[in-house]
Amino acid sequence: MAQRNGGAPTRRRPSALSVSALLVGALATVTACGADTNSGAQAPPGSADAPGSAASAPRHLTTPPGGGRDDKAAPASTDRAATKAPKAAEPSVATEAASAAPAARRICSKDQLKLSIGRADIGAGNVYVPLAFTNTGDASCTLTGFPGVSLLDGPGTAIGEPAKRRGPAGSTVVLKPGGSAYASLHTLNKGVSDKPCWRTASEIRVYPPDSYRSMKTSAHSFQVCGGVFEVTAVEPGSRP
């Protein structure tokens, strides 16, 4: 401090520069304190350092409402659904039964058949005579298996026993209108066997296959010899 003229010392006023320096220092101190105080506070929402921000929060898969997968998984399931072949409709039991069931066959009746006897075929001690069935109706019909055959004399009395079945049953024969099927009668030629021949037949009585109504035709002097009288199953045609 300066003294005026040897008197009591006088207080010097601080200069404006010193005051300014003090203010700047105080302001710096206050700013530093404020920075230290805010360093422990939460960052404002939306900032990168905020605890609740997207940057600091743990990342989880977002599940859309309804429990479905996210948009990235959807194309995979769509592709699998697209590649899976559609299941064909299963036929109903009624449809399967209808397709598996064979078509009903129409058996030839006596009223739509004509019976005739063909020429005898004699050879090697055997005699074969064809019996022909001709469809005279307007619709197709079928014959399956063996006819029943017996011989009659003039008064209509049966001669001997009915014919025995010879060979396999064969398959069903379809007779279109005007079509024919035949069965062959078989016996032995006279003199081949020591067994006597039967009386000469006047008529042949025939039951068509699957029929209980008989038909008759002229026997043309047919005679059974050697104790052999057989008939085959029906086949397509009028004779062998």
Side-chain angles (χ1 to χ4, degrees):
M1 295 185 182
Q3 295 182 355
R4 292 183 181 179
N5 299 321
T10 60
R11 181 176 298 178
R12 182 179 296 178
R13 296 181 179 180
S15 64
L17 181 59
S18 300
V19 174
S20 298
L22 291 174
L23 293 177
V24 171
L27 181 59
T29 301
V30 173
T31 303
C33 291
D36 294 339
T37 303
N38 293 334
S39 62
Q42 293 182 350
S47 65
D49 295 333
S53 65
S56 61
R59 296 182 179 180
H60 300 283
L61 294 176
T62 303
T63 302
R69 297 184 178 181
D70 57 10
D71 293 340
K72 293 183 178 180
S77 61
T78 304
D79 294 340
R80 286 195 296 270
T83 56
K84 185 177 180 181
K87 186 177 180 181
E90 296 182 356
S92 64
V93 176
T95 303
E96 291 180 351
S99 60
R105 59 189 182 94
R106 181 177 178 180
I107 300 173
C108 297
S109 66
K110 170 189 173 182
D111 298 334
Q112 66 182 126
L113 291 176
K114 176 185 177 182
L115 178 65
S116 61
I117 186 173
R119 186 175 59 185
D121 181 11
I122 303 173
N126 294 285
V127 179
Y128 295 93
V129 177
L131 285 175
F133 301 90
T134 302
N135 182 7
T136 59
D138 297 331
S140 297
C141 61
T142 62
L143 293 175
T144 306
F146 299 88
V149 182
S150 58
L151 303 178
L152 304 176
D153 59 13
T157 305
I159 302 174
E161 298 294 330
K164 295 180 180 180
R165 295 179 176 183
R166 174 187 174 93
S171 57
T172 299
V173 179
V174 179
L175 297 184
K176 295 181 178 180
S180 298
Y182 75 94
S184 292
L185 299 179
H186 172 238
T187 189
L188 298 181
N189 202 359
K190 185 182 296 187
V192 172
S193 173
D194 294 336
K195 292 183 179 180
C197 297
W198 296 357
R199 300 190 314 270
T200 301
S202 297
E203 291 183 309
I204 299 177
R205 181 171 60 192
V206 179
Y207 290 87
D210 299 320
S211 177
Y212 294 97
R213 301 173 63 190
S214 65
M215 308 172 64
K216 294 179 183 180
T217 185
S218 174
H220 289 206
S221 301
F222 180 78
Q223 187 178 30
V224 172
C225 293
V228 176
F229 183 35
E230 298 173 325
V231 63
T232 64
V234 293
E235 301 181 55
S238 59
R239 60 178 297 112

